[in-house]
Amino acid sequence: MSTNDLARGHSSATLSEASGLPVALSPRIRPLWPGARLCGPAFTVQGAGGDNLALHHAVLEAPPGSVLVADVGGARFGHWGEILTVAAQQREIAGLLIDGGVRDAAEIRALGFPVFSRNNAIFGTRKDFRGVLGRPVTVGGVIVHAGDLVVGDLDGVVALPASETRPILDRADARVAHERELMERLREGRSTLELYGGFEAAGR
């Protein structure tokens, strides 16, 4: 099963709506390059701003197919770059989600490695703090646990609790099927006001 299959191909927006939970990360967390898509179980990393030693350890410890989810306090440093990307790809890591800065954007895009970050920054980092791996971290205002399903695309990023993932995906399937039916009716000439009858009166 590919990592994308883990989300059944659903977008972050669909999963957020289907969840009914506060799973959407801050919109300040953005893809490093256009077209990047993140999907996989979280491998959590508690690091420190301006220090990337924890990420080096995480690359060695994370299982194949996982997404590194790192909290470095939103710091504007280049915590991740081309070298760590190549190392991560060799370990078959699915991508990086980091509440902080990264650099080497053009090189990472050329490698096709999905990275979602709070900012880009060229400032170098030290290597003093080994970090803590596998504990809950806060990224983009959402607490992420190891094993949560992380999905990111152009619309944003969601982190689905592992215990709720299956029912959320089932509801997302139903939601997509319903939306396809609505779009067919629109192509037949119906209006959105007809299809969503009564939503004005309900104040929505």
Side-chain angles (χ1 to χ4, degrees), residues 4 21 26 32 49 56 68 70 124 146 148 151 162 164-165 169 185-186:
N4 189 54
L21 300 170
S26 166
L32 182 64
H56 286 270
L68 301 184
D148 289 352
V151 178
E164 299 292 328
T165 296
L169 292 175
R185 293 183 181 181
L186 289 171

Side-chain angles (χ1 to χ4, degrees), residues 42-61:
F43 184 83
T44 55
V45 185
Q46 181 62 63
D51 191 309
N52 77 345
L53 183 58
L55 288 166
H56 286 270
H57 283 285
V59 167
L60 285 176
E61 297 294 332

Side-chain angles (χ1 to χ4, degrees), residues 138-153:
T138 300
V139 176
V142 173
I143 297 175
V144 182
H145 296 78
D148 289 352
L149 181 62
V150 175
V151 178
D153 51 33

Side-chain angles (χ1 to χ4, degrees), residues 6-53:
L6 294 175
R8 303 181 191 172
H10 292 306
S11 69
S12 62
T14 294
L15 293 170
S16 178
E17 292 287 345
S19 73
L21 300 170
V23 298
L25 276 62
S26 166
R28 293 182 180 272
I29 305 292
R30 303 301 302 160
L32 182 64
W33 48 273
R37 178 173 169 83
L38 199 61
C39 185
F43 184 83
T44 55
V45 185
Q46 181 62 63
D51 191 309
N52 77 345
L53 183 58

